[in-house]
Amino acid sequence: MTSWQILAADYQHPAHQRAIPVLLNAYAQDPMGGGEALATEVQAGLVPALAKRPDALTLLAFAGEEPIGLLNAFEGFSTFACQPLINIHDIYVAPDFRGQGICAALITKLEAIARQRQCCKITLEVLSGNPGAQKSYQRLGFAPYVLDPTLGQAEFWEKKLQKNL
């Protein structure tokens, strides 16, 4: 088992600037990420765009100098709780490093940050066809979002405004 570390990304750090688009592109190419590479302009513009967003937070996992994991999250606001929340938008661990607790470590680090920021909850989305991720998230305390069991689980919907998304 290789040793690894989790750290908050610095969008100005050259190694982090390289790691973020590489890992996100690997995630995009994974079947659970859609199976298609990110456009070159998306990869080039990703870190500068994240750096402009005060609500953005990226965590990285490294094995030595090798980037092996990524978590992109954004702070939002719960009107029902009148408190901030954090939504995990992307989470990825390189295939050779899965099963070592890296996903759990990324989420645990994010939870510590969320508690410091006095967030009321952490949210994420998971594909119904990804039972491995679902089990991992359940072990970490996540559950499907349900207000009233008779009305069912909340669903994540989208309306694309640009064709390349």
Side-chain angles (χ1 to χ4, degrees):
M1 185 179 287
T2 307
S3 66
W4 40 265
Q5 64 173 337
I6 306 293
L7 49 93
D10 175 351
Y11 298 129
Q12 307 309 314
H13 191 288
H16 300 184
Q17 290 174 337
R18 289 187 299 274
I20 293 168
V22 165
L23 289 165
L24 192 64
N25 189 48
Y27 175 38
Q29 292 178 69
D30 187 278
M32 296 302 165
E36 293 184 23
L38 297 174
T40 304
E41 60 271 14
V42 170
Q43 293 180 57
L46 180 61
V47 174
L50 287 169
K52 290 179 185 175
R53 300 198 56 88
D55 59 345
L57 170 65
T58 300
L59 300 178
L60 294 168
F62 283 91
E65 300 294 316
E66 181 183 1
I68 59 169
L70 166 83
L71 184 153
N72 282 319
F74 297 89
E75 188 172 308
F77 189 76
S78 169
T79 54
F80 283 19
C82 192
Q83 290 180 273
L85 61 84
I86 292 185
N87 176 257
I88 298 172
H89 192 71
D90 308 299
I91 188 160
Y92 173 77
V93 175
D96 290 347
F97 293 89
R98 292 178 185 164
Q100 296 183 28
I102 296 167
C103 176
L106 286 162
I107 291 174
T108 299
K109 173 88 170 172
L110 180 68
E111 184 175 337
I113 293 166
R115 289 183 186 282
Q116 286 176 333
R117 294 183 181 187
Q118 298 182 326
C119 293
C120 63
K121 64 183 172 180
I122 299 171
T123 62
L124 56 77
E125 62 191 75
V126 60
L127 295 174
S128 60
N130 192 348
Q134 291 174 8
K135 287 179 185 175
S136 293
Y137 300 148
Q138 287 172 337
R139 279 193 299 269
L140 293 165
F142 289 86
Y145 179 67
V146 176
L147 289 174
D148 178 340
T150 63
L151 296 175
Q153 295 179 7
E155 297 178 3
F156 185 80
W157 290 21
E158 72 176 356
K159 178 181 179 182
K160 292 185 178 181
L161 302 177
Q162 296 179 9
K163 289 184 180 184
N164 64 345
L165 298 177

